[in-house]
């Protein structure tokens, strides 16, 4: 049973799911695409990004009443400032990994199109060689849009925008080959990334809004939820393979059963909120660090492995994934522990 105002952030199971979702995001980018198992796991792991957006939308819009404008705006903009602070902190951390692009921009070695693309990459979170930080900017844009659409146009318009957002995501990814075959659209900066990430993720924050504002009259059985997750994940896997067979497939970023799987995982974590898990605080904090540090850590791993002659760890595969996850957990532990010291308190901005 989900009731407005009942759910709190002190949910160990939710923290554990965040950790699992973060590891799943890493898998999306590191599992071997040419392997059947790797390809299938990438598809199943796709629940992770919608999960994060739904949870973020839920917790924010659980606090906003839409009855006290000044208070609501304060909550909204404090939230946005906090997310932007995290983004700017990671942007500083990322500098060594895209310093070449920065120097080319500063020295004027980019043409006008290159300069515009570089500026947009920073503003939209598509940091050169990093990419995954778009999640933070997409979250900021989504909550801002949702708040004002809901305030001035109501829930029906909000629901319509959510449906359109989702369909754009599906038909520019799983059924998106047609979109990427359009020649002129390739001239638009980030034409692919924006369509099936930045735009399509709005729908998941909207789902979080509706979960925060409505009550399920009857409690959902946990076994039913688990079976639902398994069944809809399997159906989603088959859906993507069907799209591949049809020759319309481009990327499994979004497919029709994906939001169902993500919502069921969120609800299951809500149902299990009374279960205590040792170390859940670390799981929660490390999830955002793992999510945002995955590519820098992978690049460092690739470099170290190439220098040591360990060829198996210089490209995406399951062994690389295991080592990368280990390094990410160690890195997260170091950051969290250091942030507890007064002189390194600023490191808390990374999570």
């Amino acid at each position: 049973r989900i009731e407005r105002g009942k759910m709190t952030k002190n949910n160990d199971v939710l923290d554990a799911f965040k950790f699992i979702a973060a590891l799943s995001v890493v898998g999306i980018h590191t599992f071997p695409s040419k392997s059947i198992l790797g390809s299938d796991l990438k598809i199943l792991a796709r629940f992770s990004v919608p999960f994060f957006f739904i949870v973020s939308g839920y917790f924010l819009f659980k606090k906003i009443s839409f009855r006290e404008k000044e208070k609501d705006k304060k909550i909204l903009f404090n939230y946005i400032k906090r997310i932007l602070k995290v983004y700017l902190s990671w942007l500083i951390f990322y500098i060594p990994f895209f310093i070449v692009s920065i120097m080319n921009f500063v020295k004027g070695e980019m043409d006008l199109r290159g300069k515009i693309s570089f500026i947009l990459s920073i503003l939209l979170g598509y940091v050169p060689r990093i990419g995954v930080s778009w999640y933070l900017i997409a979250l900021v844009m989504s909550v801002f849009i949702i708040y004002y659409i809901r305030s001035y146009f109501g829930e029906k318009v909000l629901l319509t925008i959510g449906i359109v957002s989702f369909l754009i995501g599906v038909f520019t990814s799983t059924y998106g080959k047609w979109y990427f075959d359009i020649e002129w659209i390739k001239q638009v900066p980030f034409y692919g990334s924006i369509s099936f990430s930045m735009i399509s993720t709005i729908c998941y924050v909207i789902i979080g809004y509706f979960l925060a504002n409505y009550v399920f009259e009857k409690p959902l059985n946990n076994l039913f939820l688990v079976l639902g997750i398994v069944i809809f994940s399997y159906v989603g896997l088959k859906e993507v393979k069907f799209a591949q067979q049809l020759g319309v497939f481009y990327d499994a970023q979004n497919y029709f059963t994906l939001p169902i799987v993500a919502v069921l995982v969120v609800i299951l974590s809500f149902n299990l909120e009374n279960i205590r898990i040792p170390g859940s605080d670390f799981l929660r904090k490390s999830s955002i660090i793992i999510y945002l540090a995955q590519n820098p850590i992978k690049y460092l791993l690739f470099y170290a492995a190439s220098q040591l002659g360990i060829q198996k760890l210089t490209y995406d595969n399951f062994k690389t994934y295991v080592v990368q996850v280990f390094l990410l957990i160690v890195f997260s532990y170091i950051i969290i522990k250091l942030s507890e010291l007064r002189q390194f308190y600023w490191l808390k901005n990374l999570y």
Side-chain angles (χ1 to χ4, degrees):
R1 181 183 178 87
I2 302 174
E3 296 180 5
R4 181 176 176 85
K6 177 185 176 183
M7 181 65 186
T8 67
K9 286 190 178 181
N10 185 25
N11 183 325
D12 292 3
V13 173
L14 181 62
D15 293 339
F17 274 125
K18 286 181 180 178
F19 184 78
I20 293 169
L23 298 186
S24 297
V25 175
V26 177
I28 291 170
H29 299 123
T30 305
F31 290 147
S33 298
K34 293 182 180 180
S35 157
I36 294 176
L37 177 60
S39 178
D40 288 353
L41 287 175
K42 278 176 178 277
I43 295 168
L44 296 174
R46 289 289 180 183
F47 85 93
S48 52
V49 176
F51 169 83
F52 278 118
F53 277 106
I54 292 170
V55 170
S56 297
Y58 175 86
F59 281 115
L60 174 63
F61 290 109
K62 189 164 68 72
K63 298 175 183 176
I64 294 177
S65 66
F66 291 96
R67 290 189 295 271
E68 303 175 67
K69 271 191 175 182
E70 293 306 313
K71 181 181 177 183
D72 289 344
K73 284 183 179 179
K74 185 177 180 180
I75 293 171
L76 175 68
F77 286 105
N78 282 342
Y79 181 83
I80 289 175
K81 283 191 287 186
R82 183 165 64 83
I83 298 298
L84 290 178
K85 185 185 290 186
V86 172
Y87 176 64
L88 291 174
S89 299
W90 278 100
L91 195 59
I92 295 170
F93 174 79
Y94 292 149
I95 287 176
F97 298 91
F98 72 106
I99 189 67
V100 174
S101 297
I102 295 174
M103 296 307 296
N104 288 340
F105 179 83
V106 172
K107 291 178 179 179
E109 296 178 1
M110 294 180 179
D111 58 18
L112 180 59
R113 178 180 172 81
K115 289 179 178 178
I116 292 173
S117 294
F118 178 77
I119 292 171
L120 285 175
S121 71
I122 302 301
L123 293 177
L124 296 176
Y126 296 107
V127 181
R129 300 192 72 228
I130 302 299
V132 293
S133 49
W134 68 265
Y135 163 77
L136 297 172
I137 302 302
L139 185 56
V140 167
M141 291 175 60
S142 294
V143 298
F144 183 85
I145 291 169
I146 291 168
Y147 174 78
Y148 282 99
I149 292 295
R150 165 62 180 80
S151 296
Y152 293 101
F153 300 100
E155 290 183 345
K156 288 184 179 179
V157 174
L158 188 62
L159 182 60
T160 301
I161 289 174
I163 293 171
V164 171
S165 161
F166 174 67
L167 291 176
I168 288 173
V170 170
F171 287 104
T172 58
S173 56
T174 295
Y175 304 93
K177 185 177 181 297
W178 68 273
Y179 175 75
F180 290 89
D181 286 341
I182 301 173
E183 287 301 319
W184 66 263
I185 209 165
K186 295 176 183 177
Q187 303 302 313
V188 179
F190 312 106
Y191 68 99
S193 300
I194 290 176
S195 64
F196 62 64
S197 58
M198 192 71 71
I199 293 176
S200 67
T201 49
I202 294 175
C203 70
Y204 297 114
V205 185
I206 290 174
I207 289 173
Y209 163 84
F210 281 106
L211 283 180
N213 284 275
Y214 289 91
V215 176
F216 294 161
E217 295 299 333
K218 293 182 180 179
L220 295 175
N221 182 275
N222 291 334
L223 179 59
F224 167 81
L225 292 170
V226 172
L227 287 174
I229 292 168
V230 172
I231 291 169
F232 284 108
S233 294
Y234 178 76
V235 172
L237 181 64
K238 289 298 182 181
E239 178 193 343
V240 172
K241 290 184 177 296
F242 177 68
Q244 291 171 337
Q245 290 173 355
L246 286 179
V248 299
F249 175 80
Y250 182 81
D251 186 279
Q253 186 93 5
N254 291 283
Y255 45 89
F256 281 109
T257 63
L258 187 61
I260 301 174
V261 174
V263 167
L264 292 178
V265 173
V266 172
I267 295 175
L268 180 63
S269 68
F270 288 177
N271 277 8
L272 301 175
E273 65 176 322
N274 293 322
I275 295 177
R276 301 275 73 88
I277 298 177
S280 62
D281 188 56
F282 172 77
L283 297 179
R284 182 182 71 256
K285 293 175 180 177
S286 65
S287 64
I288 188 66
I289 298 174
I290 289 170
Y291 193 121
L292 295 169
Q294 58 177 298
N295 283 340
I297 293 297
K298 183 160 72 171
Y299 296 146
L300 292 174
L301 172 60
F302 282 176
Y303 177 77
S306 66
Q307 295 300 304
L308 295 170
I310 309 173
Q311 287 301 116
K312 194 66 177 177
L313 298 180
T314 60
Y315 60 94
D316 290 343
N317 59 71
F318 290 116
K319 287 185 179 179
T320 296
Y321 174 76
V322 172
V323 176
Q324 182 186 8
V325 165
F326 172 76
L327 293 175
L328 284 166
I329 291 172
V330 172
F331 178 72
S332 299
Y333 180 82
I334 292 171
I335 292 296
I336 292 167
K337 284 300 179 182
L338 283 176
S339 70
E340 294 172 358
L341 303 176
R342 188 159 61 176
Q343 60 267 45
F344 293 107
Y345 182 79
W346 53 272
L347 286 173
K348 289 183 181 290
N349 291 327
L350 293 177
Y351 60 88

